[in-house]
Amino acid sequence: QDRILKNYVLRFPEFRELTAFDAAGRPVATSRIGAPGVSLPGADAIEVYGARMSPVHVDNDLLPTAMVAAPVGRAGRQSGWLVGEFSIEELWRLTGRIRVGASGYAMVVGPRGDLLAHGNPEERSKVARGVSVASEPVVAALLAAAPGTPQVMEQLRPGGAPLLVVGIRVPELGWMVLVEQPIREAFAAARRHERDLIAAISLALLIMLL
């Protein structure tokens, strides 16, 4: 059992640790060398498809991580838990690869308004510092609305250009996915079509008058 768990941790870098517990909460096998460092998620955990997931927190390496516990057993006869410590660092890479236009970025926010990932490299340090964005208008509106209800707002960053921010809350996790883009860039295509339409109408009126 120890060897199986160690092989999985070596094969999948998203795992930092895998530990199996019996029904009484005692460790049975672990991928670590020595005592296990994980435990069952507490009362603040959320349940997703039968598994329990702790809130995301920043570890000693300033990287986001979370505990996920899956029940072990069949036909309602639970014989223990398999607990894994997941590194959410891959979420940073995925968010960093998303580009909206030329200068738009995506971000992921936790259910309490804590910033989990940001596509803008200049803003990524806020994740390590545990910055909360719960007071921002879009996040506050998402927390007040029903999950799955999108929110669209204009927002002004200090010393920056006005932004168009679109967000939605994932029902299962309570996480929020936001995309922000400068308003000038977001509406560039619409304004270009507007100018072309005005020019075409003006030309048609001129021809009609002539």
Side-chain angles (χ1 to χ4, degrees):
Q1 290 176 338
D2 283 342
R3 179 59 59 88
I4 290 173
L5 297 181
K6 286 180 172 63
N7 287 341
Y8 266 97
V9 170
L10 291 174
R11 184 176 178 183
F12 298 100
E14 293 81 9
F15 289 110
R16 292 199 172 178
E17 178 184 343
L18 281 172
T19 299
F21 294 87
D22 60 16
R26 294 184 296 265
V28 177
T30 181
S31 62
R32 282 182 57 124
I33 300 176
V38 300
S39 59
L40 290 174
D44 56 350
I46 59 175
E47 187 168 335
V48 183
Y49 304 118
R52 298 173 60 184
M53 180 177 179
S54 71
V56 177
H57 63 278
V58 178
D59 61 9
N60 296 330
D61 298 327
L62 299 180
L63 296 174
T65 185
M67 307 289 182
V68 177
V72 179
R74 292 182 178 179
R77 298 172 56 186
Q78 184 175 331
S79 59
W81 295 87
L82 179 63
V83 181
E85 182 181 10
F86 284 89
S87 173
I88 317 295
E89 188 178 358
E90 182 62 28
L91 184 63
W92 285 9
R93 300 189 185 98
L94 176 63
T95 309
R97 290 194 295 265
I98 297 175
R99 284 291 179 271
V100 184
S103 55
Y105 297 98
M107 67 186 77
V108 181
V109 180
R112 296 174 296 182
D114 46 327
L115 189 61
L116 302 181
H118 204 301
N120 189 349
E122 298 179 357
E123 301 286 337
R124 203 164 294 164
S125 61
K126 293 182 179 180
V127 181
R129 300 200 308 267
V131 174
S132 176
V133 293
S135 60
E136 294 195 2
V138 177
V139 177
L142 288 172
L143 292 174
T149 305
Q151 300 291 328
V152 182
M153 290 187 181
E154 294 184 10
Q155 192 166 307
L156 182 62
R157 298 286 184 193
L163 300 173
L164 180 68
V165 185
V166 181
I168 194 168
R169 185 153 58 109
V170 182
E172 289 81 5
L173 292 174
W175 292 9
M176 289 160 279
V177 180
L178 286 79
V179 174
E180 62 179 27
Q181 188 180 20
I183 290 180
R184 177 180 299 178
E185 181 182 331
F187 292 107
R191 288 172 178 166
R192 184 172 62 252
H193 293 319
E194 180 184 12
R195 290 194 300 267
D196 295 342
L197 185 60
I198 291 174
I201 293 175
S202 303
L203 181 60
L205 289 175
L206 179 60
I207 293 175
M208 184 176 64
L209 289 174
L210 290 175

